[in-house]
Amino acid sequence: MKTLRWIKGLALSACLAWPAQAADLRIFAAASLQGPLDLITKEWSQDVAVSYGGSGTLARQISLGAPADAVILANAQWSDWLVDQGHVAGPARPFLSNQLVLVGPNGAAPLPDPDADTLMARLGSGRMAMGQHMSVPAGIYAQAWLEHINVWTVLRPHLAETENVRAALALVARGEVSLGIVYASDAAASDGVDVVYTIPSDTHPPIQYPALAITSAGAAFLDHLATRTDLFVAAGFKALP
């Protein structure tokens, strides 16, 4: 199973730490959800603590016993892994989708129909930022696109892989790299990047955000979350059909 190969390929530490959370409700969520999810947690009647991170990291923390009432990931294979391994009862709730984009720092020129030559010319001696291709969903989708356009082998030595997609976005926004692959919602949330190319959705697996309730309190929160998809769509996410 491909997911198991990703997990075996990860450098797992002997002890993964998670934040201490003194709150009525504890949510683990993919980093790309932060803006709209922060707004929604403020509406909730209870005190909510949200731990944001890469989906692979969050899934592994839950598998090791991290206390959480619900988890929202950015890739269905990580939620399937949690259910298949018996760490969380399923099924997962499909929640949202997104769009993958190629971004550069403010003022970067468009890069239509990128290929190995145009990407390497734009990078020069620098690197392209993206999530870790073995664990971060945005990185997994990015690898699929790069393989689809036959540039993965050429680009791989020139990648700056990060622990979550927001970290990749920050590298571009700070001008530390000239290109990055992030979600459209991330690009919309940053004043420091411009989209130079919108990656076609048929060049990588479908982007999905599955949600899993771990406790009854988490299930109630996810019920409310499903009524507020308008906030996510306004932030650049896509509603599921």
Side-chain angles (χ1 to χ4, degrees):
M1 183 176 177
K2 190 174 182 182
T3 304
L4 293 179
R5 292 201 299 270
W6 293 338
I7 295 165
K8 289 177 182 177
L10 296 173
L12 292 177
S13 61
C15 179
L16 285 173
W18 44 82
Q21 298 174 337
D24 299 316
L25 190 70
R26 299 155 301 181
I27 307 297
F28 277 31
S32 55
L33 296 167
Q34 186 164 2
L37 187 54
D38 281 348
L39 294 175
I40 294 169
T41 59
K42 291 176 182 177
E43 302 173 348
W44 197 242
S45 58
Q46 296 174 299
D47 182 31
V48 183
V50 185
S51 293
Y52 292 105
S55 293
T57 298
L58 298 178
R60 294 195 304 276
Q61 288 180 343
I62 288 172
S63 75
L64 292 173
D69 295 289
V71 58
I72 311 167
L73 304 174
N75 186 288
Q77 289 185 313
W78 276 117
S79 61
D80 289 347
W81 178 76
L82 282 172
V83 173
D84 292 345
Q85 297 298 310
H87 300 302
V88 180
R93 309 184 189 191
F95 177 47
L96 287 170
S97 185
N98 214 324
Q99 177 79 48
L100 211 61
V101 295
L102 185 65
V103 296
N106 275 347
L111 195 61
D113 300 320
D115 57 20
D117 291 337
T118 57
L119 288 169
M120 288 304 301
R122 182 67 63 92
L123 291 178
S125 60
R127 293 180 178 269
M128 182 165 69
M130 58 178 260
Q132 288 278 352
H133 73 279
M134 294 187 70
S135 61
V136 177
I140 294 166
Y141 300 131
Q143 178 185 356
W145 170 61
L146 293 172
E147 289 177 340
H148 182 84
I149 62 173
N150 298 314
V151 302
W152 173 248
T153 301
V154 174
L155 266 290
R156 188 171 182 183
H158 304 277
L159 298 176
E161 298 188 56
T162 62
E163 63 182 8
N164 61 66
V165 68
R166 285 298 176 95
L169 178 73
L171 289 177
V172 183
R174 293 196 300 261
E176 296 180 24
V177 297
S178 55
L179 288 173
I181 303 174
V182 300
Y183 295 123
S185 58
D186 298 308
S190 173
D191 295 329
V193 305
D194 284 333
V195 174
V196 300
Y197 180 69
T198 299
I199 296 170
S201 58
D202 62 356
T203 61
H204 56 76
I207 297 173
Q208 296 181 2
Y209 288 79
L212 287 163
I214 300 173
T215 67
S216 58
F221 180 79
L222 293 183
D223 287 341
H224 175 67
L225 200 64
T227 71
R228 302 298 277 129
T229 55
D230 58 311
L231 287 180
F232 290 93
V233 172
F237 291 83
K238 290 184 175 181
L240 291 174

